[in-house]
């Protein structure tokens, strides 16, 4: 099967090979060394400010979102949540669950946020945003958001789970207090690890906040991380894969080159399906994903035929959008031939009258 979902995505053979061995014991100086290198490579790739730290949580990306809401924010915060789809909605649910005072800025599905939507929110203390709202494919205007936050002394917390490596992301440039990503998106290794980079202002908050949980505790993760360890047994294999993958990226032109390749895969796909009966959903799309609205047929039907007749996984949307929209991911180990197979399959479906 060719996998064009948005995660877990396809991995390159070097990465798959790592999972072919028994998991090594991890309370060793060798593993600590790998973890310390993972931390510094992530901070370098994010262009994190001096004094930043990075922790690796054994959880899906949502674990890092929840940890952020629990451990970095507190009950004195007034939080702006940008909500333009299912991942924005998840932050709203987390704020509700953990009783964080918040206001949603609702963005119409597929639409870019406008500066005027933030008017009146100048006295807030924190903002939560999914840099790329993966359900609609929109890449938010992070420069505008960052400028608003900077001007009003609002701390910016960025879910870049699907944007890291796919879209331009400069943690220091954005003055983001924390940035999260996950192992199964553009990092293109197995699921299981959420990554959280923390600038000094976030570290200070963690230090000052009361401990509210154990497994997702950032105090514990930071303390153990000083010696390259984790408080509990981590997804060791995934962390070894992350190490290999980060080294490969750095030796092959770094983040810039990785982003260029993802952007070129996305551009090639988008320009090759222009004449098919689809509407592009996102106003300013991320390089990671193209969300498509088929004009004549149900999206679920397209996903099913691609899977059953062409051996291709596309990514269905959930909930009330399931029949309306499907998505094609451009992250992971996708060769030019793979991309052409997908494009050919869609054109073939069109000739068969299935679109
Ligand atoms: C994938 C993703 C997540 C996390 O999903 P998990 O299934 O918990 O790993 C969070 N936010 C965004 C924007 C995502 O794309």
């Amino acid at each position: 099967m060719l996998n064009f979902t948005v995660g877990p995505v396809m991995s390159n053979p070097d990465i798959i090979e790592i999972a072919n061995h028994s998991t090594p014991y991890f309370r060793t100086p060798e593993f600590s060394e790998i973890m310390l290198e993972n931390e510094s490579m992530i901070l370098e790739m994010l262009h994190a400010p001096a004094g930043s730290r990075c922790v690796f949580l054994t959880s899906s990306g949502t674990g890092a979102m929840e940890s952020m809401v629990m451990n970095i924010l507190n009950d004195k915060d007034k939080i702006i949540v940008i909500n333009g789809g299912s991942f924005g909605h998840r932050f709203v649910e987390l704020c509700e669950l953990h009783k964080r005072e918040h206001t949603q800025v609702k963005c119409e599905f597929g639409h870019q946020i406008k500066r005027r939507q933030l008017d009146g929110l100048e006295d807030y203390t924190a903002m939560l945003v999914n840099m790329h709202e993966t359900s609609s494919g929109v890449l938010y205007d992070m420069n505008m958001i960052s400028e608003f936050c900077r001007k009003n002394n609002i701390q910016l917390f960025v879910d870049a789970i699907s944007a890291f490596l796919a879209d331009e992301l400069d943690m220091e440039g954005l003055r983001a207090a924390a940035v999260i990503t996950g192992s199964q998106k553009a990092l293109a290794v197995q699921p299981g690890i959420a990554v959280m980079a923390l600038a000094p202002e976030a570290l200070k908050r963690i230090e000052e906040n009361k401990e509210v949980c154990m497994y997702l505790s950032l105090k514990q993760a930071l303390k153990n991380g000083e010696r390259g360890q984790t408080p509990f047994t981590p997804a060791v294999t995934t962390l070894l894969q992350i190490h290999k993958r980060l080294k490969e990226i750095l030796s092959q032109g770094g983040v810039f080159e990785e982003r260029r390749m993802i952007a070129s895969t996305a551009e090639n796909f988008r320009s090759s399906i222009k004449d098919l009966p689809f509407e592009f959903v996102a106003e300013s799309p991320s390089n990671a994903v193209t969300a498509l609205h088929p004009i004549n047929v149900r999206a679920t039907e397209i996903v099913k035929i691609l899977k059953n007749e062409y051996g291709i996984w596309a990514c269905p949307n959930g909930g009330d959008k399931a029949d309306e929209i499907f998505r094609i991911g451009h992250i992971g180990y996708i060769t030019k031939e793979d991309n052409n197979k997908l494009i050919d399959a869609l054109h073939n479906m069109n000739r068969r009258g299935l679109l």
Side-chain angles (χ1 to χ4, degrees), residues 60-63 65 87 90 130 132 134 159 161-162 184-185:
S60 87
T62 307
M65 293 168 77
F87 293 102
R90 192 167 298 178
N130 317 96
H132 164 215
T134 321
D159 163 5
I161 295 180
S162 61
Q184 83 276 26
K185 301 278 167 87

Side-chain angles (χ1 to χ4, degrees), residues 6-8 59-65 86-88 90-91 129-135 159-163 180-185 191-194 289 327 331:
V6 292
S59 74
S60 87
T62 307
M65 293 168 77
S86 41
F87 293 102
R90 192 167 298 178
F91 267 141
V129 61
N130 317 96
M131 175 166 165
H132 164 215
E133 173 50 77
T134 321
S135 61
D159 163 5
I161 295 180
S162 61
I180 58 185
T181 190
S183 55
Q184 83 276 26
K185 301 278 167 87
I193 293 291
V289 171
R327 290 162 298 163
I331 51 182

Side-chain angles (χ1 to χ4, degrees), residues 38 41-48 54 56 131-132 134 139 158-171 179-188 195 197 242 245-246 249-250 254-255 258-259 262 286-288 331-332:
N38 278 348
M41 286 190 284
I42 292 276
L43 293 175
E44 177 187 338
M45 287 180 177
L46 283 171
H47 197 243
C54 176
F56 298 84
M131 175 166 165
H132 164 215
T134 321
L139 178 69
V158 182
D159 163 5
I161 295 180
S162 61
F164 176 61
L165 297 177
D167 300 302
E168 198 176 334
L169 172 55
D170 177 332
M171 189 170 169
V179 172
I180 58 185
T181 190
S183 55
Q184 83 276 26
K185 301 278 167 87
L187 261 174
V195 180
I242 288 177
R245 175 83 167 115
L246 294 175
I249 293 171
L250 287 174
V255 178
E258 188 66 22
R259 189 169 64 236
I262 295 170
S286 157
N287 292 321
I331 51 182

Side-chain angles (χ1 to χ4, degrees), residues 79-85 88 92 102-108 113-119 121 124 127-128 140 148:
I79 305 156
I80 303 166
V81 185
I82 310 298
N83 180 4
V92 172
H102 64 284
T103 290
Q104 303 185 45
V105 174
K106 283 218 168 194
C107 295
E108 211 183 316
I113 187 169
K114 305 278 184 319
R115 172 62 186 81
R116 62 178 156 69
Q117 291 174 270
L118 301 173
D119 285 347
L121 301 173
Y124 278 63
M127 183 190 288
L128 292 169
Y140 288 126
F148 173 81

